[in-house]
């Protein structure tokens, strides 16, 4: 039997939702994740510190059901109306890890997102001064733009300008999906990093259409062609600290996904570390997993690394067909498929 013990991992991008589904969304993460950066795209977005504190308390309460808990790191949802005062309060709060920029209309619950990015430059100035991280969903939203080009265009039109104007602003380009994003991150300063999801490492856009349309593989940014997938895998296993774990695990009930107009998001919290381990193993790069999963994110956000560890064994197990989500169900990533690695000590 083969074992792999690594420092306890953190997840630098997750969705937990609210209300009756919150406890289910916390269930899988609380098994072995150390800290989780919680996205603010609730139906009423988390736009200020008061709302973030309420949400933090709700998450802590939901987790009391479980034998162990992760530490939630909260984010605020940037809007065209966010004030400098709100940024300063957030920067001084212990629970806030960063501010999330959703271009308006880019993804789930992004209607209140930013319409005019350049109008927010005074806010970025305050964030740079206050040393508060900016997390970006990097896609343009124009409906006439091909969905597969939206990330690259965002980089060219917006990110390049933001990084030039604010050379000390810490930015995480979230869930990168293209070789263009990888190259941008490599060329940028040490203040720019990125998260990579397990689904963008394991799948490419052909998988979306394998034998028919696969709504449970629809996420944003959408899966890209295999050349991009290869670039992401190479970045993840490179040992470069600018690339780290962010699962973007996004619970949606089965009916919202299997619909004439299905929503975006892939749920992976039930086995995210096992999925990443599979990818690193396939590439003979298990020695690079710990940095990616458990060290580089903490370093980037200026936090201590976790001091304890988790152990995986090489053992085949089958992913559940469906998992409870409130009164409904969700279909997890790799439903009913076999995975080769399993976390044993939590
Ligand atoms: C996320 C969600 O469901 O909230 N969906 C997704 O496809 N990734 C939002 C996001 O991160 O874009
Ligand atoms: Zn997300």
């Amino acid at each position: 039997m083969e074992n792999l013990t690594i420092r306890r991992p953190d997840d630098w991008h997750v969705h937990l939702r609210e209300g009756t589904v919150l406890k289910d969304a916390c269930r899988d993460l609380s098994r072995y994740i150390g800290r989780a950066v919680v996205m603010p795209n609730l139906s009423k977005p988390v736009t200020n510190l008061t709302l973030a504190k309420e949400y933090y308390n709700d998450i802590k309460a939901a987790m009391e059901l479980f034998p162990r808990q992760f530490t939630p790191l909260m984010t605020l949802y940037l809007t065209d109306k966010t004030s400098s005062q709100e940024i300063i309060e957030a920067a001084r709060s212990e629970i806030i890890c960063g501010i999330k920029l959703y271009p308006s209309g880019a993804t789930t619950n992004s209607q209140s997102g930013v319409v005019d990015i350049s109008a927010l430059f005074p806010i970025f100035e305050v964030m740079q001064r206050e040393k508060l991280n900016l997390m970006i969903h990097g896609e343009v939203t124009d409906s006439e733009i091909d969905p597969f080009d939206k990330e690259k265009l965002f980089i060219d039109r917006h990110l390049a300008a933001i990084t030039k104007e604010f050379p000390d602003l810490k930015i995480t380009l979230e869930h990168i999906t293209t070789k263009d994003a990888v190259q941008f991150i490599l060329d940028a300063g040490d203040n720019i990093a990125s998260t990579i999801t397990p689904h963008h490492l394991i799948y490419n856009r052909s998988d979306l259409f394998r034998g028919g349309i696969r709504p449970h593989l629809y996420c944003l940014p959408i899966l890209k062609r295999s050349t991009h997938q290869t670039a992401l895998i190479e970045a993840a296993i490179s040992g470069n600290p600018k690339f780290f774990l962010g699962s973007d695990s996004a619970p949606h009930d089965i009916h919202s996904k299997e619909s004439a107009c299905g929503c975006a998001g892939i749920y992976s919290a039930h086995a995210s570390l096992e999925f990443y381990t599979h990818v690193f193993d396939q590439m003979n790069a298990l020695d690079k997993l710990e940095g990616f999963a458990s060290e580089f994110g903490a370093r980037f956000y200026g936090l201590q690394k976790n001091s304890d560890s988790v152990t995986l064994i090489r053992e085949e197990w089958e992913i559940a067909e469906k998992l409870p989500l409130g009164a409904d169900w969700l279909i997890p990533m790799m439903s009913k498929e076999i995975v080769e690695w399993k976390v044993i000590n939590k």
Side-chain angles (χ1 to χ4, degrees):
M1 187 171 64
E2 208 181 323
N3 282 346
L4 176 69
T5 297
I6 60 168
R7 188 187 294 283
R8 183 177 298 285
D10 301 304
D11 191 333
W12 301 94
H13 183 134
V14 301
H15 298 270
L16 298 182
R17 314 300 181 210
E18 63 206 297
T20 54
V21 306
L22 178 60
K23 66 171 185 347
D24 292 314
C26 291
R27 173 193 57 223
D28 293 321
L29 274 176
S30 60
R31 287 179 307 136
Y32 56 72
I33 290 296
R35 291 160 289 198
V37 172
V38 181
M39 289 297 134
N41 61 330
L42 304 187
S43 51
K44 180 185 172 200
V46 182
T47 50
N48 59 49
L49 184 56
T50 309
L51 292 171
K53 282 182 179 162
E54 278 173 26
Y55 190 28
Y56 176 88
N57 290 335
D58 290 347
I59 295 166
K60 296 287 267 186
M63 278 196 295
E64 275 171 19
L65 290 166
F66 306 117
R68 79 168 288 281
Q69 287 87 36
F70 62 87
T71 303
L73 303 175
M74 308 307 290
T75 56
L76 293 193
Y77 187 118
L78 190 62
T79 75
D80 294 312
K81 298 197 183 73
T82 302
S83 70
S84 305
Q85 191 52 37
E86 280 163 338
I87 295 294
I88 292 167
E89 278 172 20
R92 300 187 180 167
S93 160
E94 292 277 291
I95 64 165
I96 301 289
C97 174
I99 308 290
K100 180 71 187 281
L101 188 169
Y102 290 102
S104 179
T107 188
T108 308
N109 293 337
S110 64
Q111 302 85 331
S112 322
V114 174
V115 175
D116 183 0
I117 293 181
S118 56
L120 282 168
F121 277 27
I123 291 293
F124 298 154
E125 184 80 52
V126 179
M127 289 178 64
Q128 177 173 253
R129 195 180 66 225
E130 296 288 324
K131 303 196 190 325
L132 187 56
N133 304 292
L134 177 64
M135 295 143 169
I136 301 183
H137 181 115
E139 289 192 287
V140 296
T141 52
D142 323 38
S143 56
E144 70 276 14
I145 303 290
D146 187 301
F148 296 94
D149 297 335
K150 286 181 170 177
E151 182 175 272
K152 177 171 167 30
L153 270 177
F154 183 91
I155 294 169
D156 296 347
R157 282 190 194 166
H158 301 292
L159 190 57
I162 298 171
T163 53
K164 188 155 175 270
E165 192 72 19
F166 304 100
D168 296 323
L169 179 61
K170 264 190 165 174
I171 299 176
T172 317
L173 186 56
E174 300 290 343
H175 41 52
I176 58 169
T177 63
T178 56
K179 62 177 175 358
D180 311 278
V182 169
Q183 196 56 50
F184 182 86
I185 299 292
L186 288 171
D187 294 343
D190 287 344
N191 54 317
I192 319 289
S194 61
T195 50
I196 305 182
T197 75
H199 44 278
H200 290 104
L201 294 174
I202 290 179
Y203 300 117
N204 61 61
R205 70 187 193 183
S206 298
D207 296 301
L208 259 174
F209 307 109
R210 200 167 298 286
I213 187 112
R214 303 254 174 193
H216 298 288
L217 288 186
Y218 175 54
C219 63
L220 289 170
I222 197 159
L223 296 169
K224 304 296 191 297
R225 61 168 69 242
S226 65
T227 44
H228 294 291
Q229 179 191 15
T230 302
L232 296 174
I233 294 172
E234 281 168 6
I237 65 164
S238 66
N240 187 321
K242 286 166 156 275
F243 303 100
F244 48 82
L245 189 161
S247 71
D248 197 14
S249 182
H252 290 282
D253 67 61
I254 190 166
H255 306 292
S256 321
K257 296 287 295 172
E258 296 180 10
S259 146
C261 187
C263 64
I266 296 178
Y267 186 76
S268 59
H270 58 297
S272 53
L273 185 60
E274 287 94 336
F275 294 147
Y276 286 112
T277 306
H278 165 79
V279 173
F280 280 66
D281 188 20
Q282 294 272 300
M283 300 302 293
N284 280 322
L286 284 176
D287 60 320
K288 297 290 197 306
L289 180 67
E290 185 173 49
F292 176 83
S294 319
E295 295 180 350
F296 302 155
R299 186 192 304 179
F300 185 73
Y301 284 107
L303 300 169
Q304 295 286 323
K305 290 181 274 196
N306 296 317
S307 52
D308 53 351
S309 61
V310 297
T311 298
L312 296 114
I313 52 167
R314 193 189 288 277
E315 180 186 293
E316 294 195 343
W317 61 289
E318 190 180 310
I319 301 278
E321 179 182 8
K322 55 185 186 172
L323 294 169
L325 186 67
D328 215 314
W329 298 89
L330 63 76
I331 304 294
M333 181 172 155
M334 289 187 71
S335 160
K336 289 178 75 181
E337 290 182 56
I338 301 292
V339 200
E340 296 147 27
W341 286 92
K342 187 170 194 178
V343 175
I344 49 167
N345 77 329
K346 313 284 159 81

